[in-house]
Amino acid sequence: MKKILALLLALVSLCGCAKQEVSDTEFLLNTVSSITIYEKTNKKSSQHIIEECFALCRDYENMLSKTVKTSDISKLNNAEGKPVEVSEETAQLISLAVKYSVLSDGKFDITVDPAADLWNFNGENPSVPSDSDIEEAAKKINYKNIEIDGNTVTLKGEGTKIDLGGIAKGYIGDKAREFLIENGVKRAIINLGGNILLISPEDGEKTFTVGIQKPFAHQGELYGTVKLKNGTVVTSGIYERYFEENGKIYHHILDTSTARPVENNLYSVTIIAENSADADALSTTCFALGAEKGKELIESLKNTEAVFITNDYKCI
């Protein structure tokens, strides 16, 4: 039996706020995304601001998605090692991804794309690849093959390809939050398929309550909640995309040294931070590092917290 589940962070409530919100939902970034505005000062209608924000997100998706043929990432992946001039935003995001590769000693690595394609977790009928194919894919994973010179990026090494899926959604969320604030939004929620971003006045009393999905439970069944005014909450877990084969679960978070699913005692890692791009990268990084080293990394960072849920449903 094989199955894919996509269980995401669930937003619970905005405490102390009357229900006067304007909300809309679209399918973008390969997931269901929503924006809710509770309070604003701009004369534009909330609906119009939301529509413009979704359009901005789609522009970034067209720039950063490897599945969009005209994107910067597709151009890079098809360049066969030749230098490619990309947008300033793409170059900045790739640089940020490399920063997390260095920080995690390669546990976070956007050149994991050949292995991710091989496992095909987003496909209708994923299956375990052959050992030889996995070993071949592992040889192509090395963030040091990424060369950045201003806005020019070169992917060195035969078969090197990148996928920004582990950081792009957070980056786009940060851009969406900036757009809403620039347009006079004072209180809002952005939910990009489980990447939660919050906007609220720091001097106000109202807080958001964000629920952390209980791994492998029904969607919306919570393990716990966190309360905060601003910032972001992002989770990486093995229950998000996986399949079962011969009674064993194979999930989408890959060990970059072996090109196989990470094996440790964790079900999920939730990051609470200021910026969603950082939280996005950190959730994958900390999961791959494991609880002990992941906690050490979090403790070394400012304004960052984490919730590690083990395979026996303990919080550490």
Side-chain angles (χ1 to χ4, degrees), residues 9 93 96 99-100 108 165-171 174 177 194-197 228 231-236 269-287 297-298 301-306:
L9 272 163
L93 186 54
L96 181 62
K99 167 192 166 183
Y100 278 103
F108 179 86
I167 194 170
K169 193 160 59 171
Y171 178 83
D174 289 333
R177 179 171 55 186
N195 280 52
I196 308 294
L197 297 97
L228 63 162
T232 186
V233 183
V234 179
T235 292
S236 287
V269 176
T270 297
I271 303 295
I272 303 152
E274 294 180 344
N275 297 313
S276 202
D278 293 317
D280 219 355
L282 282 169
S283 64
T284 303
T285 298
C286 289
F287 189 98
L297 174 58
I298 293 301
L301 302 173
K302 294 181 180 179
N303 303 317
T304 306
E305 299 178 27

Side-chain angles (χ1 to χ4, degrees), residues 255-274:
D255 185 327
T256 55
S257 62
T258 65
R260 298 176 184 272
V262 172
E263 293 190 14
N264 56 28
N265 67 336
L266 292 177
Y267 271 168
S268 70
V269 176
T270 297
I271 303 295
I272 303 152
E274 294 180 344

Side-chain angles (χ1 to χ4, degrees), residues 8 19 26 32 93 96 113 142 146 186 189 273 275 312:
L8 305 172
K19 292 187 176 181
E26 284 196 18
V32 177
L93 186 54
L96 181 62
D113 183 59
N142 189 346
I146 302 173
K186 298 299 182 184
I189 299 163
N275 297 313
D312 57 358

Side-chain angles (χ1 to χ4, degrees), residues 207-252:
T207 59
F208 294 97
T209 300
V210 180
I212 300 174
Q213 172 70 39
K214 182 178 180 180
F216 295 106
H218 293 294
Q219 188 167 354
E221 184 177 343
L222 303 181
Y223 181 87
T225 61
V226 295
K227 289 187 177 183
L228 63 162
K229 293 180 180 179
N230 288 289
T232 186
V233 183
V234 179
T235 292
S236 287
I238 70 171
Y239 60 90
E240 293 172 325
R241 291 196 302 277
Y242 73 90
F243 65 87
E244 294 181 16
E245 187 168 299
N246 297 324
K248 183 175 180 178
I249 289 177
Y250 297 89
H251 62 83
H252 75 291

Side-chain angles (χ1 to χ4, degrees), residues 177-193:
R177 179 171 55 186
E178 289 175 13
F179 177 84
L180 293 183
I181 293 171
E182 289 170 358
N183 279 270
V185 172
K186 298 299 182 184
R187 198 183 312 278
I189 299 163
I190 301 167
N191 183 348
L192 301 183

Side-chain angles (χ1 to χ4, degrees), residues 73-120:
I73 305 309
S74 289
K75 293 175 183 176
L76 271 169
N77 286 343
N78 293 321
E80 297 181 342
K82 296 177 183 177
V84 176
E85 186 172 352
V86 298
S87 69
E88 183 178 354
E89 291 96 333
T90 300
Q92 288 175 347
L93 186 54
I94 293 173
S95 295
L96 181 62
V98 171
K99 167 192 166 183
Y100 278 103
S101 293
V102 174
L103 190 65
S104 65
D105 195 25
K107 291 296 185 181
F108 179 86
D109 194 329
I110 58 174
T111 66
V112 74
D113 183 59
D117 275 351
L118 179 66
W119 283 89
N120 191 30

